[in-house]
């Protein structure tokens, strides 16, 4: 047991990171302290404990997922590879059978939708899950693997001995300090702990999006009828164009057992340029003539806002430091709005690096760099790299979603409308109409830019 007690009995003066007085005498020292019990932190803690490491998992909320609203979609294959047959253990809401995109303007909606029975058999494709259920399930797994879990502990910053991370400081009222060979920061998007500890620069407002979301309760059979779903199955619908009021941003509707989630967001810099308030975007969607009927009789039971790092590959900060790794959203590991799978896998890779470091008793950045190497070799970084230029494309073409949603809907309208003019004249009329919205050469140049980015 002696190995668990840090008996250095010294007051370590932090060299450059902070001026906090550190007292390590007679304090238990863990192998790893993980900050944040989201999918990244809980997965990291679980896989570390499974390999025999002594792990402390700290969460600022009163229970896992306490500060998080609504539900989310979970990619089955990525999750199944880490947690085989997770659907037997974690209570999932609906098996997603239908994926759709609605390209919207004020008065029109052009939809593409795909559904397949192939998505309804194991190992499935996606599920919808309630966030609190998912977070609690992961933390319960970590606890049963031997992790010590503490909630209501908000970490304020990392403690250093020189440049080596050695512990964390808890915010008042606890004001405690915890020590470990390795610190893992998994405190989510816009990591205040990493920023305050001078480990990452402040995230640029162009690289972070603010999302607002609402959970609306409706009977299960009403959801199935309105979204044309078979009993027990679900859909995810991406909404483009009108929801984000002329700016590039995204929105979606997720169906759960007896509720739906609507979320919408765009970059913080676009909110500041436009002066639009986040809730106004949600009202736009809810009052749209084709969405309002889907919500009739529903009751809003939850409303929340959260941020998501959307800078992509080039916005990933330095994620390995002496004695410290940054994982999940805190490391900007988000692809579009998909992050839970990346968060869990980053936790898994951090666990491999922590285990190897512990085995060699080497907690240097060089040794922990295994985490970054494993990430680089995996789908996580490879997918982020493939989409690396999307954030820049959206900045270069700020009208992309809005203008092309209007063009797509106008084209669909004109093609659908029956005129008395002859067909050939109608084609010329439509061509002129569309090119009056965006000149042909400009359109070709925009399409070429998009193709180049998609090709990677
Ligand atoms: C509107 C919206 C919709 C999304 N939809 C999807 C989706 O459908 N599918 C998908 O895969 N991803 C989705 N994402 C992204 C996904 O939510 C994140 O990528 C994922 O939650 C990241 O997990 P994480 O563990 O890194 O961070 P988080 O889930 O944010 O967890 C961080 C944890 O750390 C805790 N914490 C924070 N600060 C401290 C502190 N100082 N001390 C102690 N604890 C702290 C928090 O309370 C929290 O529990 C969505 C995001 C948003 C905003």
């Amino acid at each position: 047991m002696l190995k668990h007690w840090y008996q250095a009995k010294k007051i370590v003066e932090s060299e450059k990171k902070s001026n906090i007085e550190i007292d390590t005498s007679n304090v238990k020292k863990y192998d790893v302290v993980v900050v944040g019990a989201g999918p990244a932190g809980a997965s990291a803690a679980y896989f570390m404990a499974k390999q025999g490491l002594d792990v402390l998992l700290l969460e600022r909320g009163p229970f896992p997922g306490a500060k998080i609203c609504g539900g989310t979609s979970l990619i089955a294959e990525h999750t199944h590879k880490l947690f085989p047959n997770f659907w037997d253990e974690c209570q999932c809401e609906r098996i997603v059978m239908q994926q759709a995109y609605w390209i919207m303007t004020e008065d029109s909606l052009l939809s593409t939708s795909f559904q397949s029975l192939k998505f309804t058999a194991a190992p499935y494709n996606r599920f919808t899950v309630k966030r609190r259920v998912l977070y609690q399930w992961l933390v319960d797994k970590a606890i049963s693997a031997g992790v010590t879990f503490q909630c209501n502990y908000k970490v304020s910053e990392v403690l250093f001995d020189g440049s080596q991370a050695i512990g964390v400081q808890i915010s008042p009222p606890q004001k405690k300090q915890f020590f470990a060979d390795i610190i893992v920061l998994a405190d989510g998007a816009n990591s205040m702990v990493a920023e305050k500890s001078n480990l990452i620069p402040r995230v640029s407002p162009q690289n972070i999006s603010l999302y607002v979301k609402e959970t609306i309760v409706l009977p299960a059979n009403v959801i199935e009828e309105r979204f044309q779903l078979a009993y027990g199955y679900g859909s995810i619908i991406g909404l483009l164009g009108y929801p984000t009021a002329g700016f590039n941003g995204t929105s979606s509707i997720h169906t759960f057992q007896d509720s739906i989630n609507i979320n919408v967001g765009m970059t913080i810099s676009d909110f500041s340029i436009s002066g639009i308030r986040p809730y106004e975007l949600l009202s736009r969607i809810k009052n749209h003539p084709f969405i309002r009927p889907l919500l009739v009789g529903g009751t809003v039971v939850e409303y929340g806002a959260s941020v998501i790092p959307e800078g992509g590959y080039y916005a990933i900060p330095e994620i390995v430091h002496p004695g410290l790794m940054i994982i999940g959203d805190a490391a900007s590991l988000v692809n579009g709005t998909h992050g839970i799978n990346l968060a869990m896998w980053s936790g898994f890779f951090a666990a491999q690096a922590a285990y190897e470091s512990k085995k060699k008793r080497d907690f240097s950045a060089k040794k922990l760099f295994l985490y970054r190497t494993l990430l680089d070799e995996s789908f996580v970084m490879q997918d982020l790299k493939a989409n690396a230029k999307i954030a820049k494309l959206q900045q270069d073409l700020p009208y992309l979603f809005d203008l092309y949603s209007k063009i797509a809907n106008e084209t669909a309208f004109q093609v659908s409308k029956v005129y008395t003019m002859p067909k050939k004249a109608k084609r010329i009329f439509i061509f002129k109409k569309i090119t009056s919205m965006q000149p042909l050469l400009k359109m070709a140049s925009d399409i070429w830019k998009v193709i180049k980015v998609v090709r990677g």
Side-chain angles (χ1 to χ4, degrees):
M1 286 302 281
L2 261 185
K3 78 179 168 79
H4 290 309
W5 293 83
Y6 197 43
Q7 293 182 327
K9 291 195 175 170
K10 59 178 181 180
I11 306 293
V12 182
E13 228 18 275
S14 177
E15 199 175 70
K16 59 183 165 80
K17 311 280 182 180
S18 92
N19 294 317
I20 291 180
E21 197 173 79
I22 300 171
D23 183 358
T24 55
S25 54
N26 287 325
V27 175
K28 174 171 175 170
K29 188 185 182 196
Y30 292 87
D31 291 330
V32 188
V33 169
V34 180
V35 179
S43 304
Y46 168 71
F47 287 110
M48 286 169 185
K50 260 185 70 163
Q51 300 195 76
L53 301 186
D54 187 12
V55 185
L56 173 66
L57 174 62
L58 297 171
E59 167 57 44
R60 69 176 169 179
F63 55 87
K67 296 200 178 264
I68 287 164
C69 146
T72 185
S73 72
L74 192 59
I75 296 179
E77 189 179 330
H78 293 164
T79 313
H80 175 54
K81 281 192 172 156
L82 288 178
F83 304 102
N85 297 339
F86 68 91
W87 49 82
D88 291 338
E89 287 178 28
C90 174
Q91 191 199 332
C92 296
E93 292 275 310
R94 286 177 184 267
I95 297 166
V96 177
M97 185 168 86
Q98 180 194 76
Q99 287 177 226
Y101 285 96
W102 291 354
I103 302 164
M104 298 165 68
T105 63
E106 193 179 5
D107 56 8
S108 308
L109 189 157
L110 175 64
S111 71
T112 65
S113 172
F114 180 71
Q115 53 187 318
S116 173
L117 290 173
K118 290 182 199 146
F119 291 148
T120 63
Y124 308 103
N125 190 44
R126 290 172 193 229
F127 288 89
T128 54
V129 285
K130 287 281 168 70
R131 276 194 191 253
R132 279 176 199 154
V133 170
L134 174 70
Y135 284 38
Q136 185 68 59
W137 172 68
L138 284 169
V139 169
D140 286 346
K141 279 190 86 67
I143 293 170
S144 27
V147 169
T148 307
F149 176 60
Q150 295 277 8
C151 31
N152 288 317
Y153 275 82
K154 183 179 177 195
V155 170
S156 61
E157 62 188 285
V158 177
L159 302 171
F160 294 92
D161 181 359
S163 60
Q164 185 76 25
I166 57 163
V168 294
Q169 174 72 41
I170 306 298
S171 301
Q174 283 94 342
K175 272 187 142 183
K176 278 180 110 167
Q177 297 180 337
F178 291 103
F179 298 93
D181 290 325
I182 300 168
I183 310 300
V184 175
L185 297 187
D187 53 330
N190 203 18
S191 168
M192 299 313 283
V193 181
E195 194 188 315
K196 188 156 185 228
S197 311
N198 293 320
L199 294 163
I200 60 167
R202 178 169 286 250
V203 182
S204 134
Q206 282 187 326
N207 286 340
I208 193 143
S209 291
L210 175 67
Y211 278 80
V212 278
K213 41 190 175 172
E214 244 179 43
T215 304
I216 300 165
V217 166
L218 282 165
N221 64 323
V222 172
I223 293 174
E224 283 151 11
E225 193 185 305
R226 290 184 187 170
F227 290 86
Q228 296 170 3
L229 296 167
Y231 175 77
Y233 293 108
S235 71
I236 299 174
I237 305 162
L239 312 178
L240 286 173
Y242 177 77
T244 43
F247 291 82
N248 286 336
T250 55
S251 170
S252 62
I253 298 178
H254 288 61
T255 55
F256 300 90
Q257 195 49 38
D258 52 10
S259 66
I260 62 169
N261 255 196
I262 304 180
N263 67 52
V264 57
M266 59 189 193
T267 65
I268 287 181
S269 80
D270 283 345
F271 272 117
S272 115
I273 292 165
S274 63
I276 296 170
R277 278 172 295 173
Y279 190 77
E280 286 165 10
L281 295 185
L282 215 41
S283 306
R284 260 173 102 78
I285 300 171
K286 289 170 64 182
N287 289 314
H288 189 278
F290 297 130
I291 301 224
R292 206 182 319 126
L294 299 173
L295 311 178
V296 170
T299 311
V300 177
V301 290
E302 251 186 331
Y303 170 76
S306 42
V307 288
I308 183 164
E310 285 191 304
Y313 184 75
Y314 295 123
I316 296 170
E318 221 171 290
I319 56 177
V320 180
H321 300 262
L324 184 140
M325 293 176 278
I326 308 177
I327 64 174
D329 273 18
S332 276
L333 301 177
V334 178
N335 209 347
T337 51
H338 281 121
I340 290 181
N341 46 338
L342 279 60
M344 294 189 302
W345 275 90
S346 66
F348 174 72
F349 293 136
Q352 313 312 307
Y355 175 71
E356 290 301 325
S357 289
K358 179 74 188 171
K359 220 163 65 181
K360 296 275 183 264
R361 300 213 54 78
D362 176 356
F363 308 108
S364 63
K366 195 171 163 209
K367 192 73 193 163
L368 290 175
F369 202 78
L370 175 64
Y371 160 53
R372 174 75 205 221
T373 307
L374 292 171
L375 268 183
D376 283 340
E377 287 168 356
S378 72
F379 77 94
V380 174
M381 283 301 186
Q382 283 166 22
D383 287 358
L384 280 163
K385 226 174 187 172
N387 287 346
K389 293 182 184 144
I390 287 182
K392 173 86 170 50
L393 176 77
Q394 292 192 31
Q395 286 159 20
D396 290 349
L397 304 179
Y399 52 81
L400 189 69
F401 291 180
D402 183 56
L403 178 66
Y404 286 97
S405 294
K406 286 179 177 149
I407 289 176
N409 275 281
E410 184 60 27
T411 309
F413 169 70
Q414 294 298 349
V415 170
S416 310
K417 179 148 172 59
V418 182
Y419 286 102
T420 48
M421 70 176 96
K423 291 254 182 284
K424 191 170 174 195
K426 182 180 171 183
R427 284 180 205 132
I428 294 168
F429 170 76
I430 295 176
F431 180 77
K432 283 189 176 158
K433 189 103 195 160
I434 304 307
T435 49
S436 73
M437 296 172 81
Q438 179 79 322
L440 195 59
L441 273 180
K442 190 82 185 69
M443 219 185 299
S445 142
D446 289 348
I447 292 169
W448 179 236
K449 281 182 187 158
V450 173
I451 290 173
K452 274 202 311 197
V453 165
V454 173
R455 274 176 40 196

